[in-house]
């Protein structure tokens, strides 16, 4: 499989695809129409030297992904709030510029809150839970392993819990459509509904795999990095979050490009987790995902360059 530069994300009733700094959001409205928006997203760090540094680039890419994800999710959700806006005269009276400022503020607060909540729930809480067992053992190794087990159980339990929500199940279907489109292209197949439906819904560069790798790497690091002070144990866990995210990013990046047997084996847990976060999409969802891909990625040129395929240019009749 030849890796491409395209990546994506599921949104409400749609798919976002990103290629370099360009991204497209395709959303199917309630009347069945597919709306596609294309734009560019420049990260908050513009220095290319910094963005080329291993591990460090992973931290900035992670934050940028969160920001873009919230931005596109807000955009897609906006289509399903139009009725509420029409019924609310106060909201109609707000200018577009004022509304954009409000949305930006809400998005920023949400991203910060999400990061703090994730760090608290998956990094700090497991430590305090493991402390309850200090009365039974003094082994730092056993306590570290128990902390890691709690962390993994919380993560998997959270995924299982949200996967039962009806709206999230549809998002997971669009998530599957996103993966299927990328796999279709990277396996040298023409991007059409039939080929995409036959493609796998699992992909090694998935965000689910990234998050699971974060959990696993944290277990290893916290086992070997030890401090005596209970307060510093908490502080160290917080300070190491960017390092863990950076290492995880490097692994996911390597996994997406490598066919090494060891890397393939290490990628398996993330692919298994994707069985929870990706569902089989229907053809209408595939159509939306294809629209998103074609808005930012020339898949025919990619197949020509990497698989030797050739496509005749479409002849347009002159008026």
């Amino acid at each position: 499989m030849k890796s491409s530069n395209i990546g994506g994300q599921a949104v409400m009733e749609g798919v976002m695809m990103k290629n370099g700094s360009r991204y497209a959001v395709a959303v199917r409205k309630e009347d069945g129409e597919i709306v596609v928006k294309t734009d560019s997203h420049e990260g908050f760090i513009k220095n290319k030297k910094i963005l080329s540094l291993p591990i460090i680039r992973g931290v900035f890419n992670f934050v940028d992904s969160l920001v873009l994800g919230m931005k596109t999710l807000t955009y897609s959700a906006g289509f399903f709030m139009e009725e509420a806006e029409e019924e609310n005269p106060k909201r109609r009276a707000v200018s577009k510029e004022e509304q954009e400022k409000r949305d930006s503020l809400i998005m920023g607060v949400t991203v910060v809150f999400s990061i703090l909540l994730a760090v608290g729930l998956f990094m700090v809480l497991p430590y305090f839970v493991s402390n309850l067992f200090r009365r039974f053992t003094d082994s730092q190794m056993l306590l570290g392993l128990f902390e890691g087990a709690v962390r993994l159980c919380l993560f998997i339990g959270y995924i299982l819990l949200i996967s039962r929500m009806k709206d999230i199940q549809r998002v997971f279907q669009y998530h599957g459509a996103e993966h299927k489109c990328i796999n279709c292209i990277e396996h040298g197949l023409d991007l059409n509904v039939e080929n995409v439906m036959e493609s796998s819904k699992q992909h090694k560069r998935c965000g689910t795999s990234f998050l699971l790798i974060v959990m696993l790497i944290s277990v290893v690091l916290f086992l070997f990095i030890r401090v005596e002070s209970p307060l510093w144990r908490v502080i160290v866990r917080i300070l190491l979050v960017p390092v863990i995210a950076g290492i995880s990013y490097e692994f996911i990046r390597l996994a997406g490009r490598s066919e090494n047997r060891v890397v393939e084996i290490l990628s398996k847990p993330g692919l298994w987790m994707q069985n929870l976060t990706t569902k089989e999409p229907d053809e209408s969802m595939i159509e939306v995902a294809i629209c998103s891909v074609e808005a930012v990625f020339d898949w025919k040129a990619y197949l020509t360059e990497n698989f030797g395929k050739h496509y005749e240019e479409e002849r347009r009749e002159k008026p």
Side-chain angles (χ1 to χ4, degrees), residues 68-88:
L68 180 58
M70 287 302 305
K71 183 178 180 180
T72 54
L73 185 61
T74 301
Y75 171 78
S76 64
F79 286 101
F80 306 97
M81 296 177 64
E82 290 179 355
E83 284 188 20
E85 291 182 358
E86 290 176 0
E87 295 173 1
N88 189 338

Side-chain angles (χ1 to χ4, degrees), residues 3 51-52 54 57 61 204-205 247-258:
S3 178
L51 294 177
S52 67
R57 62 189 172 192
N61 271 283
K204 289 187 289 186
R205 295 199 308 271
I247 296 172
S248 302
Y249 172 82
E250 295 302 325
F251 176 79
I252 292 297
R253 192 168 183 265
L254 173 65
R257 300 180 177 184
S258 173

